[in-house]
Amino acid sequence: MTDITYVARQNALEGRLPVRELARACVGACALAAAELGARRAGLAEVPVVRVDDGAVATAFVSERHLLVGGRAPVTFAPLSRFWRTADGWVRTHANYPHHRARLLAALGVPEDERAVTAAEAALAELSALEAEEAVYAAGGLAVALRTPEEWAAHEQGAAVAGRPLVERERLDSARARALPPIDAAPLLPAAGLRVLDLTRVIAGPVATRTLALLGADVLRVDAPRLPELPDQHADTGFGKRSTALDLVTDRRAFEELLAQADVVVTGYRPGALDRFGLSAQALAERRPGVVVAQLSAWGAYGPWGGRRGFDSLVQVATGIAAIEGSVAEPGALPAQALDHGTGYLLAAAVLRALAEQSCEGGSRVVRLALARTARWLVNGIESEDAGHTPYDGPGPWLAETDSRLGRLRYALSPVSFEGGPADWARPPGPWGSDAPRWN
């Protein structure tokens, strides 16, 4: 049996819900999957010992807050991404991206000027929370009404989420097994030689692919030229990767050449959004037999909200987390975007497990995770544990600095740790879309 050593720390990710335990479990699952795959590929007699330190985990779960680019702190939430009072409660919006901001204001009939925040506040105060939720979503924006856990459980989407496993796994066909080549044991890089096509945005998906890059994978992130990522967000989750911009219509040949050599395809757009480009799991398996497909969504690819966009902050509000961390009268938030980060590490773990299974048993594989399902696990499924007696005195031991094309970076190290494994990424992030669309 593999040894897992834990360093439990007081004051790490403190909240009313067991956030520390969720974070610890997600990172531990990922590190264990990595250690086991690494041992197998390196021909080791024993699986390396896994170490999970609450300090490293707590630091990494707020990595976006620790990032410094040339000494400058990152921009996190925009002024229109916040809680708002409505006529009967609260609603939370997400408008960090310009197109989401424009759609929110259009739904509220508010002009794009310096008075936008004040005008939005007045407009939302005239609506019920559910009216605001539906009006903004109908316009293509993002807003979610505050619900209690009981209200979410009674909601049709909440019931659909409750009926699904935390990690959905499916074998798609009978494609032949692809043996993974042996690797060196020093350093032990379980994903060495594997090519990961990263079609994700924001935090959860990029955290998963950032972790696979740490473990040795050649990760190429592909974005649409018309949808540039927020620079600080891209930098924080871009360690170990390369970044290119391709139009899936006009640059189709280049994309298909990448796909033809990919071992893993990770998608993080809303369910169905990429299907028209032939990027459903089944279509990918038909064109690349033996591929491992990892799909991430906010609400799950089922139920009445299956096609909706969403973000960690909004899932917290819908599922009752915000009401628990605060109250119905004054909602709160988790000490980290733990649904994003936790789901990211679980997604990386699921990919590593699927790669191991495919190499033994064959078959194209798909794994699916949803932030709302991770939220249900947090609210209903994790027992709180003793935090131990070692204090968390701050992130210092788990921060590092490096030079990059973006300037001098301060960043959080990965919490995924096992004996003989990598301590840091092999390369810093570069500017968005600045790399050629080819594999190393």
Side-chain angles (χ1 to χ4, degrees):
M1 184 174 179
T2 304
D3 286 332
I4 303 180
T5 63
Y6 293 99
V7 180
R9 297 182 184 271
Q10 296 174 335
N11 310 320
L13 296 175
E14 285 193 322
R16 294 180 179 176
L17 289 165
V19 183
R20 175 179 52 247
E21 286 76 15
L22 175 135
R24 182 191 296 158
C26 293
V27 170
C30 184
L32 182 59
E36 291 180 347
L37 180 60
R40 182 180 160 200
R41 294 187 65 189
L44 301 180
E46 296 183 354
V47 175
V49 174
V50 169
R51 176 184 171 88
V52 180
D53 189 314
D54 283 351
V57 173
T59 302
F61 265 58
V62 290
S63 61
E64 63 275 8
R65 301 180 199 171
H66 294 306
L67 180 72
L68 292 179
V69 182
R72 176 185 59 80
V75 176
T76 52
F77 284 98
L80 286 169
S81 296
R82 48 169 272 198
F83 282 107
W84 308 82
R85 285 190 180 274
T86 63
D88 63 348
W90 293 87
V91 71
R92 182 152 191 173
T93 57
H94 194 288
N96 286 0
Y97 291 96
H99 57 294
H100 291 156
R101 172 189 167 93
R103 292 167 186 172
L104 170 64
L105 295 179
L108 300 177
V110 172
E112 278 265 19
D113 57 30
E114 67 279 1
R115 300 183 300 275
V117 173
T118 302
E121 186 172 37
L124 287 165
E126 297 295 321
L127 300 172
S128 72
L130 291 178
E131 286 172 341
E133 178 181 272
E134 290 304 319
V136 173
Y137 263 104
L142 294 122
V144 170
L146 177 71
R147 291 174 172 83
T148 65
E150 295 75 21
E151 288 170 335
W152 177 245
H155 191 279
E156 190 175 350
Q157 187 63 32
V161 168
R164 300 292 180 122
L166 179 62
V167 179
E168 297 184 60
R169 297 145 48 94
E170 182 182 353
R171 178 171 174 162
L172 298 171
D173 56 28
S174 58
R176 65 178 179 84
R178 290 192 288 185
L180 299 176
I183 59 173
D184 295 330
L188 187 61
L189 298 173
L194 298 173
R195 291 170 169 167
V196 177
L197 199 55
D198 180 1
L199 308 178
T200 69
R201 292 170 63 80
V202 198
I203 296 178
V207 164
T209 52
R210 180 181 71 183
T211 303
L212 295 173
L214 172 82
L215 299 172
D218 180 10
V219 180
L220 180 63
R221 174 166 164 168
V222 179
D223 285 276
R226 62 183 177 80
L227 284 176
E229 183 60 283
L230 302 174
D232 293 336
Q233 196 162 260
H234 185 266
D236 178 57
T237 58
F239 284 87
K241 311 179 195 177
R242 291 174 298 116
S243 168
T244 194
L246 288 177
D247 186 303
L248 293 184
V249 176
T250 60
D251 298 324
R252 189 67 190 206
R253 181 175 178 179
F255 180 80
E256 291 294 335
E257 289 175 352
L258 293 171
L259 180 60
Q261 300 180 67
D263 300 292
V264 179
V265 179
V266 186
T267 67
Y269 292 79
R270 64 185 174 85
L274 296 176
D275 289 4
R276 63 192 174 98
F277 298 108
L279 298 178
S280 68
Q282 192 62 54
L284 288 167
E286 291 172 0
R287 284 145 64 204
R288 179 64 169 152
V291 71
V292 170
V293 180
Q295 297 179 329
L296 172 76
S297 64
W299 308 106
Y302 40 77
W305 286 15
R308 287 195 176 192
R309 299 173 180 85
F311 294 91
D312 181 305
S313 59
L314 302 184
V315 176
Q316 289 188 40
V317 172
T319 59
I321 290 174
I324 294 172
E325 290 295 327
S327 67
V328 173
E330 195 73 31
L334 296 175
Q337 294 190 70
L339 306 181
D340 262 334
H341 286 272
T343 306
Y345 290 109
L346 289 177
L347 189 65
V351 167
L352 294 168
R353 295 289 187 200
L355 285 166
E357 291 169 355
Q358 202 286 332
S359 68
C360 289
E361 306 165 7
S364 304
R365 309 277 172 153
V366 60
V367 297
R368 300 183 179 93
L369 286 91
L371 301 186
R373 191 60 189 80
T374 305
R376 175 177 168 78
W377 182 36
L378 175 62
V379 172
N380 297 319
I382 303 177
E383 292 185 5
S384 182
E385 301 174 9
D386 178 17
H389 302 291
T390 304
Y392 175 57
D393 292 328
W398 302 284
L399 297 178
E401 293 192 10
T402 188
D403 290 318
S404 75
R405 288 181 287 165
L406 302 173
R408 185 73 177 171
L409 300 178
R410 187 192 74 177
Y411 60 99
L413 294 168
S414 175
V416 175
S417 177
F418 52 91
E419 187 178 5
D424 202 348
W425 289 274
R427 58 184 294 156
W432 178 88
S434 61
D435 296 297
R438 62 170 180 264
W439 297 111
N440 279 336

